[in-house]
């Protein structure tokens, strides 16, 4: 049971990363580092091909804030799956990326880091972290209940 | 038990590094261009007409000259007066 849930959690986290990555590939400008790196890795044409297929008009918060929240949630799910969904053990590691994200966003607000402060980014980090931690907590409860039944 | 803990620690560090790499990869390559790529609210300069095309308003150096057409006084009523106003004689033909 635990193995199935762990495998599914890894898959879920991977899908979330891919969704966030597709939003970046399809809708973000081409001056991002990832596009420069893709040229060196000779997969730039593939990214442009995917980009040309994107035709939906989506709100700005989906383009600029949602991927950050998705990746935060995905990171926490990965860490939770690694540590058997034991929140007591892994919460410090799970909070590393959300904390870095929130601090960097606040530093952008006081111009100590290059970039622009955006409330939506802050909200995305917070919600992504909350959803991820809630997922670990719920899965842990679910696994323990099933193990007690056996 | 210790092996598991080691494996999990290494995997956690790898996870952190991967997501940090993701954050770096999705950063802008050109610092100056980051301003217009954020939300529309972050637009630094509103679109406006270039100042070159605007012509400064010419000050009126001459007061408008009002000429009453006296030849038509007999036909016109007392209330109606035809006033010809000349302002800023830019066109010599009119004068």
């Amino acid at each position: 049971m635990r193995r199935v849930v762990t495998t599914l959690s890894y898959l879920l986290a991977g899908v979330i990363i891919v969704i966030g990555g597709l939003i970046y590939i399809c809708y973000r400008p081409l001056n991002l580092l990832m596009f420069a790196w893709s040229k060196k890795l000779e997969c730039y044409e593939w990214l442009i091909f995917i980009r040309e297929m994107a035709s939906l008009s989506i709100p700005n918060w989906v383009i600029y804030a949602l991927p950050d929240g998705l990746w935060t949630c995905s990171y926490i799910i990965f860490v939770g799956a690694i540590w058997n969904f034991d929140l007591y053990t892994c919460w410090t590691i799970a909070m590393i990326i959300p904390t870095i994200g929130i601090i960097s966003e606040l530093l952008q607000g006081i111009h100590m880091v290059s970039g622009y402060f955006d409330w939506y980014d802050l909200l995305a980090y917070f919600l992504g972290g909350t959803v991820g931690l809630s997922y670990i907590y719920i899965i842990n409860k679910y696994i323990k209940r099933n193990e007690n039944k056996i | 038990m210790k092996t598991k803990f080691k494996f999990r620690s290494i995997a956690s560090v790898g996870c952190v590094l991967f997501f940090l790499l993701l954050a770096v990869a999705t950063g802008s390559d050109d610092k100056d261009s980051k301003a217009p790529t954020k939300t529309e609210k972050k637009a630094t300069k509103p679109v406006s007409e270039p100042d070159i095309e605007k012509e400064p308003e010419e000050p009126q150096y001459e007061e408008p000259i009002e000429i009453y057409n006296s030849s038509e006084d007999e036909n016109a009523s007392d209330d109606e007066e035809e006033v010809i106003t000349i302002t800023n004689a830019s066109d010599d033909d009119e004068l």
Side-chain angles (χ1 to χ4, degrees):
Chain A
M1 179 69 192
R2 188 181 282 270
R3 272 192 183 175
V4 171
V5 171
T6 305
T7 307
L8 286 175
S9 299
Y10 281 127
L11 281 173
L12 175 66
V15 167
I16 292 172
I17 290 179
V18 168
I19 292 172
L22 283 174
I23 293 173
Y24 260 89
I25 290 169
C26 294
Y27 295 101
R28 292 298 287 263
L30 290 171
N31 64 336
L32 296 182
L33 268 175
M34 58 185 254
F35 291 109
W37 292 354
S38 68
K39 285 179 186 173
K40 291 180 182 176
L41 296 171
E42 296 180 3
C43 57
Y44 180 73
E45 288 79 20
W46 285 102
L47 297 186
I48 298 299
F49 175 73
I50 295 168
R51 198 179 168 87
E52 285 173 0
M53 289 197 296
S55 57
L56 296 172
S57 63
I58 53 179
N60 279 340
W61 66 268
V62 173
I63 298 172
Y64 295 107
L66 183 64
D68 296 337
L70 289 175
W71 287 342
T72 303
C73 181
S74 168
Y75 164 78
I76 292 176
I77 292 174
F78 262 124
V79 170
I82 289 169
W83 290 95
N84 259 341
F85 304 100
D86 187 359
L87 201 56
Y88 181 76
T89 309
C90 72
W91 74 271
T92 48
I93 303 170
M95 290 307 294
I96 289 176
I97 293 295
T99 305
I100 291 174
I102 290 171
I103 289 175
S104 73
E105 198 64 33
L106 293 173
L107 289 176
Q108 287 175 25
I110 58 174
H111 305 293
M112 286 187 69
V113 170
S114 66
Y116 284 90
F117 174 79
D118 191 357
W119 282 108
Y120 285 115
D121 286 349
L122 213 57
L123 188 65
Y125 287 126
F126 179 74
L127 286 178
T130 305
V131 169
L133 291 173
S134 304
Y135 178 86
I136 296 175
Y137 179 78
I138 291 167
I139 292 296
N140 190 24
K141 289 286 183 191
Y142 175 75
I143 290 173
K144 279 185 177 175
R145 194 185 302 168
N146 278 326
E147 286 175 348
N148 287 338
K149 279 182 182 177
I150 295 171
Chain B
M1 190 71 180
K2 283 187 179 178
T3 312
K4 268 191 177 178
F5 183 82
K6 253 189 189 176
F7 169 75
R8 286 172 178 169
S9 301
I10 293 169
S12 301
V13 170
C15 230
V16 171
L17 291 176
F18 172 76
F19 280 88
L20 285 176
L21 185 68
L22 210 56
V24 169
T26 52
S28 175
D29 195 11
D30 182 11
K31 291 180 184 177
D32 294 333
S33 64
K34 192 170 185 181
T37 61
K38 263 289 188 179
T39 57
E40 293 176 355
K41 291 180 184 177
K42 299 286 188 296
T44 52
K45 196 174 180 182
V47 176
S48 61
E49 295 178 359
D51 294 332
I52 299 169
E53 295 179 359
K54 285 185 181 175
E55 294 179 0
E57 294 181 359
E58 294 179 0
Q60 290 184 342
Y61 297 106
E62 298 178 1
E63 290 182 357
I65 302 170
E66 296 181 3
I67 300 175
Y68 293 93
N69 193 351
S70 59
S71 60
E72 297 180 356
D73 278 347
E74 295 178 355
N75 298 327
S77 63
D78 292 338
D79 295 331
E80 294 177 1
E81 291 180 352
E82 187 175 335
V83 175
I84 300 173
T85 305
I86 298 176
T87 59
N88 197 16
S90 57
D91 189 358
D92 292 333
D93 292 335
E94 290 180 358
L95 292 177

